[in-house]
Amino acid sequence: MQRAIKTPSLGGAWALSKVVSEQIAIENKLAESIVAYYGLSVSPIGDGEIHRHDHPEGRKGNNRLWYVLHHDFGVHGDWSTGEKHNVFASDTPDPKVAEKARKEAEKRRLERQAERERGYALVASQTRQEWPLLVPASPTHAYLATKGVKPHNLRQMRGLLVVPLTDGQRLVNWQTIAADGAKYFKTGGKVKGCYSPIGSIEPHQPLLIAEGWATAATLHEATGYAVAAAMNAGNLLPVAKSLRERYPTQPIIICADNDHGTVGNPGVTKGKEAASAIGARCVWPETHEGVTDFNDLARLGGGLAL
């Protein structure tokens, strides 16, 4: 008897085609969303696992961007900011699919947070072990000479200045500064809410918060007040909140950079935001050519009236 040859049913072929089509569609939507938000081109893999990529504006190996792709939805975001974005196969997603995406994003956030905390602890431990082995920074270091400030509590390692960062209780990280001003934190170490302190906090005297370390050193040398270097504008608010919690009655002044040449003036904007959040004053240098911070102003002979 001749054996019948089975062929796929038309319905089965259509179903397979539909699945493949939907998978390609969600992959394309996720890729387009990542490009739209971060300007990064990727080829998403729909395996339900977490995939990481460098943010184009960060240093090599930052792994800030991530995505997770399933057959009917994707989630992507930026670890450093906490933002995340959902992408669905349908323009009108099923509420159950949307809820599943929300739970998936929250699960990944918690996993990443736990991983981040483990990294923070490891870097903090290494930093505390290595710090005593470093020598005090030379007052003649090229960067200090350029900025016109003293080394204060800095140390030095193979020609690099080493700036200590504390969480308010212990040393947790450091930033290195090269002679040309290139700056890097220890990879995987905590920065948000951490600062580099200069000087001792005295009762009733203002506590100043600045962005960069050289600006903080300039302010301390000019006023004698204690200064916390937040290291960047985005960290002014977390540092301000941390210090206000530790020193609830201390007068605090946010000494912002005046980024008048940058759209939105992030220095002043972030400075005002931090000051408003803790009931503090915010000051910044007047707009002048070549002046963006109080160190620039001091080197040009300007007064530092706070």
Side-chain angles (χ1 to χ4, degrees):
M1 174 189 273
Q2 187 173 359
R3 220 168 172 185
I5 299 176
K6 295 185 69 174
T7 58
S9 68
L10 195 54
W14 280 344
L16 178 60
S17 176
K18 183 174 183 295
V19 169
V20 172
S21 177
E22 289 178 347
Q23 184 65 36
I24 293 174
I26 189 63
E27 288 175 359
N28 289 338
K29 281 191 173 182
L30 180 63
E32 290 169 1
S33 183
I34 294 174
V35 168
Y37 280 102
Y38 307 112
L40 179 69
S41 178
V42 301
S43 299
I45 302 172
D47 57 4
E49 298 296 323
I50 192 164
H51 296 270
R52 302 178 189 171
H53 295 277
D54 285 354
H55 193 296
E57 297 178 0
R59 62 185 293 191
K60 185 176 180 181
N62 61 74
N63 273 332
R64 280 174 47 182
L65 303 184
W66 61 275
Y67 77 82
V68 176
L69 178 62
H70 295 271
H71 73 281
D72 51 355
F73 73 88
V75 185
H76 72 92
D78 182 342
W79 294 129
S80 68
T81 64
E83 65 179 290
K84 55 182 178 290
H85 310 280
N86 297 328
V87 178
F88 301 96
S90 170
D91 292 332
T92 54
D94 185 310
K96 291 183 178 179
V97 174
E99 177 62 13
K100 184 179 179 182
R102 187 195 67 76
K103 290 182 177 179
E104 180 74 25
E106 179 63 12
K107 175 184 175 184
R108 298 300 179 180
R109 186 189 70 79
L110 293 175
E111 289 175 350
R112 174 57 180 168
Q113 181 61 32
E115 181 181 344
R116 187 185 296 117
E117 293 294 339
R118 288 193 292 270
Y120 289 165
L122 177 60
V123 170
S125 176
Q126 292 174 340
T127 302
R128 288 192 287 271
Q129 290 176 26
E130 296 167 354
W131 182 259
L133 306 178
L134 304 181
V135 298
S138 169
T140 61
H141 188 278
Y143 181 78
L144 298 177
T146 298
K147 294 296 184 178
V149 294
K150 300 174 183 177
H152 297 287
N153 57 347
L154 300 192
R155 299 204 176 181
Q156 198 162 323
M157 172 180 64
R158 298 188 300 275
L160 298 173
L161 293 176
V162 184
V163 183
L165 265 70
T166 175
D167 61 1
Q169 297 179 323
R170 297 191 300 174
L171 183 68
V172 296
N173 198 354
W174 69 44
Q175 180 189 69
T176 59
I177 305 178
D180 62 0
K183 302 173 183 178
Y184 294 100
F185 295 109
K186 273 195 164 189
T187 302
K190 187 175 183 180
V191 176
K192 185 177 180 180
C194 300
Y195 57 92
S196 187
I198 303 177
S200 301
I201 298 176
E202 302 294 338
H204 311 301
Q205 281 192 352
L207 166 59
L208 311 183
I209 302 176
E211 282 193 37
W213 184 88
T215 301
T218 300
L219 289 164
H220 174 68
E221 291 172 14
T223 66
Y225 300 150
V227 189
M231 314 313 284
N232 59 69
N235 204 29
L236 288 173
L237 178 58
V239 168
K241 287 182 174 179
S242 174
L243 289 172
R244 172 56 78 213
E245 184 176 345
R246 296 188 64 215
Y247 304 100
T249 63
Q250 194 80 23
I252 295 178
I253 303 175
I254 308 297
C255 300
D257 287 2
N258 183 357
D259 300 317
H260 51 86
T262 304
V263 176
N265 200 328
V268 172
T269 299
K270 294 293 185 181
K272 287 182 175 180
E273 179 187 16
S276 176
I278 66 167
R281 289 173 56 205
C282 180
V283 298
W284 57 90
E286 292 185 4
T287 300
H288 291 291
E289 185 68 27
V291 174
T292 59
D293 58 40
F294 286 104
N295 178 263
D296 293 335
L297 186 63
R299 286 188 289 126
L300 288 177
L304 299 183
L306 302 179

